[in-house]
Amino acid sequence: MLQLQFFLLVAAVLFCIGIYGLIVSRNAIRVLMSIELMLNAVNLNFIAFSNFLDSGMIRGQVFSVFVITVAAAEAAVGLAIVLGIYRNRATIDMESFNLLKW
Amino acid sequence: MTLGEGAQLVTFAVLSLMAIGFALGVVWAPNIVYSGFLLGGVFLSMAGLYLLLNADFVAAAQVLIYVGAVNVLILFAIMLVNRRYNFAPLKLGWLRNGVTAVVCLGLFALLATMAFDTPWELQPIQPLSSVLVMGGHFFSDYLLPFELASVLLLMALIGAIVLARREFVTPQAGERDLSLLERPRPQIESSSEAEAELVSTR
């Protein structure tokens, strides 16, 4: 029988992989992909809780739809920023993105 | 264990192994294009997990939005900036990777013990049409976040266009320069020697 803990465990693994990729990656687009992985793990948590703990009024699924909306907006704006920096800097190495450092 | 529960368990095992393996591929793939396609695999297997959790509308939205829009957007961005990079090795880069791995493993241990130690107040799963219930939520008690989400999407649309737009200059009469239609903008000083060389060879 499927348990709530199995889904929480898978979501925790995905979230940790996302954090690892977020910090370790040098490529800016791979950093954005890691953020998408973390948002997916959060969505899996929301839906698992809404299925096992709140099955009558599935509020977790409503929240996961909002999370998907925000993730789509974040991906569009983040990739636009990466393209803008790429035009100025001619690189997508995260270590050279120090425009705001003083 | 009935046949249905066994099938659910096997499906869950296959889908979660696919999701975790593809996610590791996203982080570790040597080529960024492979990472982009493996990310689509992660999204599809997550949609399968949502179906196992009786969330059919969210699974369909996941396939449509993530696989259809976000993943294609990421692949287009990869194509726009696609070039082989040899990133200069960092000072103490191995230390950063090791510390990050230790911190992530510790976070995973914390989350796993939390998931198995907490006494969850489980409720029996009620069969209902998730689309009807979610529509009721969207137009009654979650109406304000729903409208705010539409405003957010409009802001992201306009912001992405403004950020990614190229400023074109009209070529002078009689001038046949087909290569550069963009207004030249000053290159900001790069920090290292390799980047300066990269900029000069562009």
Side-chain angles (χ1 to χ4, degrees), chain B residues 20-43:
Chain B
I20 292 171
F22 287 160
L24 286 176
V26 168
V27 176
W28 280 336
N31 195 340
I32 186 79
V33 182
Y34 297 159
S35 292
F37 282 106
L38 287 176
L39 190 68
V42 175
F43 291 155

Side-chain angles (χ1 to χ4, degrees), chain A residues 48-60:
Chain A
F49 282 134
S50 94
N51 188 37
F52 286 100
L53 305 182
D54 189 26
S55 179
M57 318 169 54
I58 38 177
R59 283 168 289 202

Side-chain angles (χ1 to χ4, degrees), chain A:
Chain A
M1 190 58 192
L2 283 181
Q3 302 284 328
L4 172 63
Q5 284 87 359
F6 298 166
F7 290 96
L8 295 186
L9 211 59
V10 174
V13 171
L14 279 177
F15 193 80
C16 292
I17 292 173
I19 288 182
Y20 180 77
L22 180 73
I23 298 177
V24 164
S25 299
R26 303 283 299 272
N27 197 325
I29 296 177
R30 196 169 295 197
V31 170
L32 286 173
M33 290 194 226
S34 302
I35 294 175
E36 298 294 328
L37 282 182
M38 291 164 62
L39 287 167
N40 261 291
V42 171
N43 268 342
L44 185 59
N45 263 345
F46 267 131
I47 293 178
F49 282 134
S50 94
N51 188 37
F52 286 100
L53 305 182
D54 189 26
S55 179
M57 318 169 54
I58 38 177
R59 283 168 289 202
Q61 296 189 25
V62 179
F63 268 94
S64 66
V65 170
F66 289 135
V67 171
I68 287 176
T69 311
V70 175
E74 175 261 342
V77 175
L79 288 172
I81 290 173
V82 168
L83 283 185
I85 297 179
Y86 176 72
R87 285 206 202 109
N88 275 331
R89 281 278 166 120
T91 181
I92 49 173
D93 188 1
M94 288 299 286
E95 298 299 325
S96 63
F97 288 176
N98 50 6
L99 291 166
L100 290 180
K101 199 161 73 177
W102 54 283

Side-chain angles (χ1 to χ4, degrees), chain B residues 38 97 143 169 182 193:
Chain B
L38 287 176
N97 292 4
L143 183 63
V169 293
E182 189 179 2
E193 298 286 331

